[in-house]
């Protein structure tokens, strides 16, 4: 069985992430989307909230599981006996950072963890969780960036009604 992990912050999940999830789920028999519990960042959504959001957003994909992890990705992948990590590439600006992480993970894992990159569908190339949060915090329209139920939860966090 071919399995992969798609790690990330997913704070919040965007249509860009969902595009990568859907396409990876077609390539692998089982895909685990895993939320990083990063104690050094102050996220908008807690890990538990992000897991719930991802579960709802991927409920039509039977071979996608949602999980969370803390610590090193290579340790998490080893414990799950998974050898492929998925990452999405939006633009050349993502590449340098992602290349460094992928090579570090490959080296640190003794060659056991490979990273597979999927290029984001052009339609979502501009999207990032940070810009979605910034737009929403000013009451802007994020309907083209995230599913409707996610948009509602984001506006709620900022204490504003939808679209202002
Ligand atoms: O969605 P993000 O924030 O771009 O995801 C980054 C992520 C979670 C893939 C990366 O930060 C990660 O794997 N962190 C876990 C810690 C780790 O393994 N670091 C080693 C890489 S040098």
């Amino acid at each position: 069985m071919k399995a992969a992990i798609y790690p990330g912050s997913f704070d919040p999940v965007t249509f860009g992430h969902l595009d990568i999830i859907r396409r990876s789920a077609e390539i692998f028999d089982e895909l685990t989307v895993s939320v990083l519990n990063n104690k050094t960042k102050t996220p908008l959504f807690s890990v538990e909230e992000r897991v719930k959001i991802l579960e709802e957003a991927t409920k039509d994909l039977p071979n996608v599981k949602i999980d969370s992890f803390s610590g090193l990705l290579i340790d998490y992948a080893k414990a799950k006996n998974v050898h492929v990590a998925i990452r999405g590439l939006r633009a050349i600006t993502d590449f340098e950072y992602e290349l460094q992480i992928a090579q570090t993970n490959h080296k640190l894992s003794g060659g056991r963890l490979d990273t597979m990159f999927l290029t984001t569908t052009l339609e979502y190339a501009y999207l990032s969780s940070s810009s979605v949060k910034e737009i929403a915090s000013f009451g802007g329209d994020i309907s083209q960036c995230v599913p409707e139920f996610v948009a509602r939860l984001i506006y709620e966090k900022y204490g504003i009604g939808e679209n202002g």
Side-chain angles (χ1 to χ4, degrees):
M1 192 185 69
K2 286 263 171 258
I5 293 168
Y6 179 20
S9 300
F10 305 108
D11 186 41
V13 68
T14 67
F15 283 138
H17 297 127
L18 291 170
D19 170 53
I20 299 288
I21 292 172
R22 206 166 287 279
R23 286 158 57 206
S24 308
E26 281 175 18
I27 299 169
F28 290 89
D29 299 312
E30 190 176 289
L31 177 72
T32 303
V33 181
S34 203
V35 177
L36 173 69
N37 189 355
N38 188 345
K39 302 248 162 47
T40 63
K41 277 192 190 173
T42 314
L44 184 62
F45 292 100
S46 70
V47 171
E48 294 72 25
E49 288 172 322
R50 282 179 271 162
V51 165
K52 270 201 180 151
I53 291 171
L54 277 161
E55 280 170 351
E56 177 64 25
T58 61
K59 65 181 181 196
D60 61 321
L61 301 170
N63 62 333
V64 173
K65 291 194 305 185
I66 312 300
D67 195 15
S68 62
F69 76 107
S70 39
L72 292 178
L73 178 63
I74 53 161
D75 293 335
Y76 173 69
K78 190 176 178 187
K80 290 195 103 45
N81 199 24
V82 172
H83 305 281
V84 181
I86 303 286
R87 292 290 288 167
L89 285 178
R90 287 167 299 190
I92 195 78
T93 41
D94 282 340
F95 184 72
E96 209 171 324
Y97 169 73
E98 294 293 344
L99 179 71
Q100 189 192 359
I101 294 183
Q103 288 175 332
T104 306
N105 284 338
H106 191 255
K107 184 78 183 166
L108 278 182
S109 68
R112 279 192 299 268
L113 184 66
D114 259 309
T115 303
M116 208 178 99
F117 293 106
L118 264 69
T119 51
T120 308
T121 303
L122 269 182
E123 193 186 344
Y124 304 125
Y126 68 96
L127 257 182
S128 76
S129 296
S130 327
S131 57
V132 168
K133 284 182 279 194
E134 186 164 0
I135 296 164
S137 72
F138 291 109
D141 179 9
I142 52 169
S143 60
Q144 292 183 59
C145 310
V146 296
E148 203 184 325
F149 83 96
V150 181
R152 254 184 275 122
L153 293 170
I154 300 170
Y155 290 126
E156 225 171 78
K157 285 275 178 192
Y158 289 113
I160 46 179
E162 224 159 307
N163 280 321

